[in-house]
Amino acid sequence: IPNSEVWYNELTEFSYADVLKCFFELSLLTIKPNATIIGDKTPRYTTEIDILIKLFPDAEFIHIVRDPRDRAVSEKKVWGKSPIKSVNSWNSVLKGISPIIKNNQKKIFELTYEELLNKPRPTVSNILEFLSLEFEHNMLTITNPSEKYGNAKNVNKIVAENTGNYQNYFSIKKIRKLEETAFSMLSFYNYNIDFATREKSLNKFVSKGLGLYDRISLYLFHIKEKGLVKGLIYFWRLGH
C-alpha cells in the first residue's frame, strides 16, 4: 500500500478515477518497478463494468465466464455457500451485463474458463492479440500464484482438469435444479445442459433467504480462518 502523503502528492485531480489510478500505479511500483501495464483481478467488478468503462475510457477488460455448476461446487466447498443461490446470481449478473458487453466489444474480450483450460496457448494468444501484446512462453506459468483456496490453490500452472467437477459432487436431482435456475445463460454460452429443459426462476423470498444463509456461512468461514475479532472486522469491511 503506498504512503498516503506520496499518494496525495501524485494526484493531478481529485476525481475518483485519478485517486484509484494513482493508488494502483504506486502500489505496482513497490512490487514491480519496471511494469508498464496495470491489471486487477476482481470478480465483483463484473456488476460495475459500465461504471469502470466511464471512469477509465482507455482501459481494456477481460471477462472470463465459468460453468456455474462448477462455480457452485467451489463456493460450497470453500465458503459453504448455497449452490442454488450461486447459479442464480451467475444467471442474473450475466443477463444484466450482456447488453453492455455487446455494445463494448472493442473494450471487452470475453471467453470461458473452460476454453482457457482446454486450449491455453491459443486462448492466451487471442487475449494478447486483443491487448496488442506479444506472446511469451512463460505466460503459461504463474510466477506468484494468487489463488488461496480450491483446486487451484498455490498452483503455478493452468489446471486443465479443473472442470466438470459438479458431475461427481451433486446428485442428478440437484444438477437439474441448478440447470433450471441458470438455464437461459447456460444456453447463451453454449454449455452442455444435462437434465433441464427450461428455466425455472428462483422465488425472490427464497433468494433472500439463501442470501442470508450465504452471509452467515461467509462470516463463519472468516471467523474460523482469522479468529472472532479479526473475522468480524474483515467481514464488516467486505460488506462495505
Side-chain angles (χ1 to χ4, degrees):
I1 298 176
N3 177 279
S4 58
E5 186 176 345
V6 174
W7 183 11
Y8 181 86
N9 291 332
E10 285 292 321
L11 294 173
T12 56
E13 56 181 280
F14 291 90
S15 66
Y16 187 68
D18 194 46
V19 169
L20 280 180
K21 183 173 179 290
C22 282
F23 175 83
F24 285 127
E25 288 177 347
L26 291 173
S27 298
L28 185 62
L29 285 173
T30 63
I31 302 170
K32 208 167 185 179
N34 297 323
T36 57
I37 298 173
I38 299 173
D40 186 7
K41 174 192 167 190
T42 304
R44 289 200 295 174
Y45 285 168
T46 306
T47 56
E48 312 295 343
I49 194 165
D50 54 337
I51 296 174
L52 290 172
I53 289 173
K54 292 176 182 176
L55 287 174
F56 305 102
D58 296 328
E60 293 171 306
F61 301 85
I62 309 299
H63 182 227
I64 303 178
V65 178
R66 187 182 184 188
D67 188 320
R69 296 161 293 190
D70 280 337
R71 177 178 181 266
V73 172
S74 295
E75 293 195 345
K76 178 64 177 176
K77 290 171 71 173
V78 176
W79 295 295
K81 288 186 173 184
S82 162
I84 295 295
K85 179 64 175 176
S86 176
V87 299
N88 185 64
S89 297
W90 179 91
N91 199 52
S92 298
V93 167
L94 291 182
K95 278 183 180 179
I97 67 170
S98 183
I100 299 171
I101 293 174
K102 183 179 180 180
N103 294 329
N104 291 277
Q105 293 186 22
K106 291 184 178 180
K107 286 184 172 293
I108 304 172
F109 183 90
E110 189 173 55
L111 67 148
T112 66
Y113 181 70
E114 292 73 27
E115 286 179 87
L116 183 60
L117 298 189
N118 296 329
K119 299 178 180 179
R121 171 66 187 267
T123 303
V124 171
S125 295
N126 289 337
I127 294 172
L128 293 169
E129 183 179 352
F130 170 76
L131 297 173
S132 300
L133 298 172
E134 296 293 327
F135 178 84
E136 297 177 16
H137 289 284
N138 61 5
M139 289 178 173
L140 297 179
T141 303
I142 304 169
T143 307
N144 298 305
S146 61
E147 292 295 337
K148 298 180 181 179
Y149 313 107
N151 294 338
K153 178 181 178 180
N154 296 327
V155 176
N156 65 351
K157 63 178 182 179
I158 295 172
V159 185
E161 62 273 14
N162 195 25
T163 182
N165 299 320
Y166 73 92
Q167 294 172 327
N168 296 319
Y169 189 82
F170 295 123
S171 66
I172 291 177
K173 182 179 180 180
K174 190 73 169 182
I175 294 172
R176 180 184 292 111
K177 179 63 176 175
L178 295 174
E179 292 176 349
E180 288 173 344
T181 305
F183 190 85
S184 59
M185 298 314 287
L186 275 171
S187 302
F188 182 83
Y189 285 102
N190 296 315
Y191 280 110
N192 289 327
I193 299 176
D194 301 322
F195 304 108
T197 56
R198 63 188 179 91
E199 182 160 313
K200 293 184 180 180
S201 300
L202 195 63
N203 180 286
K204 64 178 181 179
F205 296 107
V206 173
S207 180
K208 287 183 177 180
L210 292 177
L212 177 60
Y213 171 87
D214 280 357
R215 288 183 67 82
I216 294 172
S217 298
L218 194 59
Y219 175 55
L220 294 175
F221 169 82
H222 288 304
I223 286 179
K224 183 179 179 181
E225 185 180 61
K226 302 174 178 65
L228 179 60
V229 176
K230 289 184 178 179
L232 180 60
I233 293 172
Y234 184 86
F235 181 76
W236 183 84
R237 288 176 175 171
L238 198 65
H240 291 74

